[in-house]
Amino acid sequence: MNAFTLILIVISLATFVAGQLLLKSSLNNAAAPPPGRWITSRRAGLFVAGILGMTISFFLNIGLLQKLDLSFLFPFQGLSVIIVTLCACVFLRERLTVPLVAGALLIAAGVMCVSASGG
Amino acid sequence: MMHRLWANPFFQVLVCALFGTASEVFLKLGAAETAHLPSALPWLGLTGLESKWIWVGIVLTVISFVSWMQAISVLPLSVAFTLSNMVHVLVPLSCWMFLGEAINATRWAGIALVVTGLIVIAKPFARIDERL
């Protein structure tokens, strides 16, 4: 796995995390429409931006899949477990509980084992 | 009772993970089928769209996405997303069963770690449900 592949994986991860955060924030109360309206431009904008991030990440993933083993490559998404959890705490002000952090670390460690064992 | 199950956000996370796993397997089949095709922008994987499997994978991704939106409209993202990582158990197992990819000892260890992590996160919620 060379530097170029790594950069692509990083970009795919970053757009994925951004997409998830944007989708969640589009559903949060801060973006909720007032009674009588079914949607606001803020909610729609966040939703579209989230979809865009996920789409870019999706196609980058397919490109990477064409070159690498699925069960090796796929778990790189697992790094996003930690990143998404941290970013959700920082940007979306969600609570981090001990079981959640412990579980996230276990899952991230497991995912790294699975990806390290590949080729 | 079926409606209660369907409305349960944890069940939605499971549905999302199952459809997500199936979609990943089909996407890999499609990617393998089209890997040899020439492309102006190879790293975007657009040649994948020439494969039927990719389109099946896309449909399954959409279904998975719909349940995902249901789940995160109720659950905090950090909880829902961390639990959705059960796919990291389901995908290697599916690759082993359907794509003939090998799972060595390190990979099994990784799967065990992920399962442990999922149990650690899910247990407090299971207790809450029991009390209700």
Side-chain angles (χ1 to χ4, degrees):
Chain A
M1 186 182 71
N2 57 32
F4 180 60
T5 315
L6 189 62
I7 290 173
L8 284 175
I9 293 176
V10 168
I11 295 177
S12 147
L13 262 176
T15 47
F16 180 81
V17 172
Q20 289 284 3
L21 289 170
L22 288 163
L23 282 178
K24 173 63 178 178
S25 57
S26 79
L27 290 170
N28 277 343
N29 287 325
R37 289 170 65 190
W38 70 281
I39 200 165
T40 61
S41 58
R42 180 187 167 90
R43 170 165 284 185
L46 286 167
F47 183 77
V48 169
I51 299 285
L52 202 65
M54 299 295 286
T55 306
I56 295 173
S57 168
F58 175 81
F59 278 105
L60 272 176
N61 260 317
I62 302 229
L64 287 164
L65 270 175
Q66 287 175 338
K67 317 288 179 185
L68 305 163
D69 233 2
L70 170 62
S71 36
F72 163 73
L73 174 73
F74 185 82
F76 267 100
Q77 302 290 352
L79 272 181
S80 62
V81 176
I82 298 183
I83 303 173
V84 168
T85 308
L86 283 174
C87 290
C89 173
V90 168
F91 295 108
L92 303 177
R93 277 177 254 120
E94 291 179 8
R95 262 188 74 221
L96 289 185
T97 64
V98 171
L100 183 62
V101 173
L105 288 172
L106 280 166
I107 290 176
V111 162
M112 281 181 229
C113 278
V114 176
S115 68
S117 68
Chain B
M1 192 197 68
M2 277 302 287
H3 181 260
R4 272 206 67 194
L5 179 67
W6 200 250
N8 185 317
F10 292 100
F11 181 71
Q12 290 291 348
V13 173
L14 177 67
V15 169
C16 168
L18 288 172
F19 276 91
T21 304
S23 126
E24 289 287 340
V25 173
F26 281 102
L27 288 175
K28 174 57 178 177
L29 280 173
E33 204 178 58
T34 56
H36 64 283
L37 296 173
S39 166
L41 295 166
W43 288 102
L44 269 185
L46 288 171
T47 54
L49 292 171
E50 292 187 37
S51 162
K52 280 198 274 298
W53 298 126
I54 293 279
W55 286 100
V56 173
I58 290 176
V59 169
L60 294 172
T61 304
V62 170
I63 298 174
S64 165
F65 176 75
V66 169
S67 4
W68 177 245
M69 292 305 275
Q70 304 269 56
I72 60 169
S73 64
V74 177
L75 297 171
L77 182 62
S78 43
V79 172
F81 186 73
T82 316
L83 286 175
S84 73
N85 279 267
M86 68 180 79
V87 291
H88 291 290
V89 172
L90 298 174
V91 170
L93 288 175
S94 303
C95 292
W96 176 55
M97 285 194 286
F98 302 113
L99 301 181
E101 289 180 21
I103 305 184
N104 59 30
T106 315
R107 195 164 291 177
W108 282 115
I111 291 174
L113 280 168
V114 173
V115 170
T116 313
L118 291 171
I119 294 173
V120 164
I121 294 176
K123 263 192 80 178
F125 291 103
R127 257 185 256 129
I128 291 172
D129 272 357
E130 272 167 42
R131 272 195 233 118
L132 291 173

